[in-house]
Amino acid sequence: MSTHETRFFARALVLVTLLGVILSMGTASAAEPRARDLGIPFPGTPGPLNAITDVAGVEVGYSTLIAGDGKLVVGKGPVRTGVTAVLPRGRKDLSGVFGGYAVGNGNGEMTGTIWIEESGIVGTPILITNTHSVGVVRDSVIAWMLQHGGTEQLWGLPVVAETWDGYLNDLNGFHVQRDHVFAALDGARGGAIAEGNIGGGTGMHTFEFKGGTGTSSRRVRVHGIADYTVGVLVQSNFGRRSQLQVAGIPIGRDWPEDAPFTKESGPVNELGSIIVVVATDAPLLPTQLKRIARRAAMGIARTGGTAGNGSGDIFLAFSTANSAAATATEKLQQAAFVPNDRLDGLFEATVLATEEAIVNALVAARTMTGIDGNRLVAIDHARLQQMLRRHDRLVTDRNPGR
């Protein structure tokens, strides 16, 4: 195992072996370099962690499944997958939050969205996994919430989203099980969180480099009202190499090596997806959160994504404010909200944090080999810096933005 790989796995809060599979859970220290550490410039001011967990109360947990090497044997592996859990108010408060969702391109899945559209409420934790594990994850969330008193009516419509990891993972082996979902939920914590090859992002690519999980945040001053935080978490699994832009520079055009999908079928036909979860402490109504969710597409576009026909680009935004109004079952309720004319800063924060979260996923990810020897190479940090320096886009006074 390389030094980078060793550091990556050391970031997990807990490492245990379960049924012969490496299972990493919970949050992590920020040991690996992030995009800002490399000198990549991003507009806006991040929160202290530069993560979705800068929004007070939000917790994130992971289960990471890595086992086996060599030829694909369906049901046995190799396994390169996992589960990511986002809890809007943390494990100790499973009450609902105002929310809204949007779709860039619909070749994907996010369960529970019909009820979100109808009610404006996200009433469960938000889980992200691989395409063929949505069902077991959904059922497991219900079971976990029943154990934790999170479904007073003894029913729930969980929010579970997916992206496809079948290039590296035994997708049809159905390796994600209830215990893995419970581990991600029970291991959820605030603080700094791991990125790259972890949780649901374990087997994912980004612009044909190794990709996966990424996060970022922005502080926003809404003049005359208050300061707020917008945090984003992505499961990034999209893009062809020629599309990739970093800090506005089209670096993918000059980086054709180790681009397996382009080599196989040419530079077109998007075969990936991205899930974006946006959290904020700004008081917003469900209709406004739907507008926030739509802005995630613009952050993706800043990295070069075009929401191709084969891509599932699905976005969910929620607000941790208005707790009483979002969870009330009786009596007249009142909800505060930022006026529509003051939303522009929150829109911009969503765009910028989404862009940076995607690049953070790229920077954090490590080279991974999966089924049949299929390999996704991590983006080379030094070469990336060199290309940006050539265009005078590298920041010399680095701001880690943690």
Side-chain angles (χ1 to χ4, degrees), residues 171-334:
L171 182 71
N172 293 324
F174 304 108
H175 296 280
V176 173
Q177 301 296 321
R178 177 180 291 196
D179 287 347
H180 306 134
V181 180
F182 275 44
L185 290 162
D186 289 334
R189 299 290 186 276
I193 59 176
E195 300 172 289
N197 306 6
I198 194 161
T202 299
M204 306 302 170
H205 79 93
T206 299
F207 297 102
E208 302 183 70
F209 289 111
K210 185 65 186 73
T213 303
T215 191
S216 184
S217 70
R218 290 295 185 276
R219 292 289 295 160
V220 181
R221 171 155 293 177
V222 179
H223 292 288
I225 300 178
D227 292 343
Y228 298 111
T229 299
V230 173
V232 168
L233 182 138
V234 303
Q235 184 162 298
S236 180
N237 188 57
F238 74 102
R240 286 304 183 94
R241 179 65 56 78
S242 61
Q243 298 171 324
L244 174 59
Q245 299 185 66
V246 177
I249 305 303
I251 68 167
R253 299 177 190 174
D254 299 321
W255 204 326
E257 302 88 353
D258 298 311
F261 310 134
T262 294
K263 181 178 180 181
E264 179 179 334
S265 56
V268 296
N269 297 330
E270 173 61 71
L271 297 175
S273 300
I274 180 168
I275 302 299
V276 182
V277 178
V278 184
T280 185
D281 54 7
L284 299 173
L285 299 176
T287 53
Q288 295 175 313
L289 287 161
K290 189 176 186 71
R291 298 179 71 193
I292 291 283
R294 288 196 188 107
R295 269 60 186 184
M298 299 178 188
I300 297 167
R302 287 174 66 93
T303 68
T306 58
N309 177 69
S311 189
D313 305 345
I314 308 176
F315 323 128
L316 177 70
F318 65 83
S319 168
T320 58
N322 288 311
S323 176
T327 59
T329 58
E330 57 186 34
K331 298 182 180 179
L332 184 67
Q333 298 296 315
Q334 293 184 332

Side-chain angles (χ1 to χ4, degrees), residues 5 55 62 79 82 129 132 160 188 248 265 271 277 304 336 364 397 402:
E5 289 170 327
V55 178
Y62 301 112
V79 181
T129 187
H132 288 181
V160 182
S265 56
L271 297 175
V277 178
D397 296 326
R402 298 201 193 281

Side-chain angles (χ1 to χ4, degrees), residues 111-112 127 129 133-143 156-160 181:
T111 67
L127 282 291
T129 187
S133 294
V134 170
V136 67
V137 174
R138 179 195 178 279
D139 293 349
S140 300
V141 174
I142 294 173
L157 297 171
V159 178
V160 182
V181 180

Side-chain angles (χ1 to χ4, degrees), residues 384-399:
L384 175 59
Q385 289 174 304
Q386 182 183 36
M387 295 176 79
L388 294 176
R389 186 178 292 113
R390 188 185 309 146
H391 292 273
D392 196 27
R393 291 293 288 152
L394 202 65
V395 178
T396 53
D397 296 326
R398 297 177 183 175
N399 172 17

Side-chain angles (χ1 to χ4, degrees), residues 106-129:
N107 197 338
E109 177 68 283
M110 180 183 284
T111 67
T113 51
I114 293 175
W115 182 236
I116 294 172
E117 184 76 6
E118 182 76 15
S119 68
I121 302 293
V122 179
T124 71
I126 300 155
L127 282 291
I128 320 175
T129 187

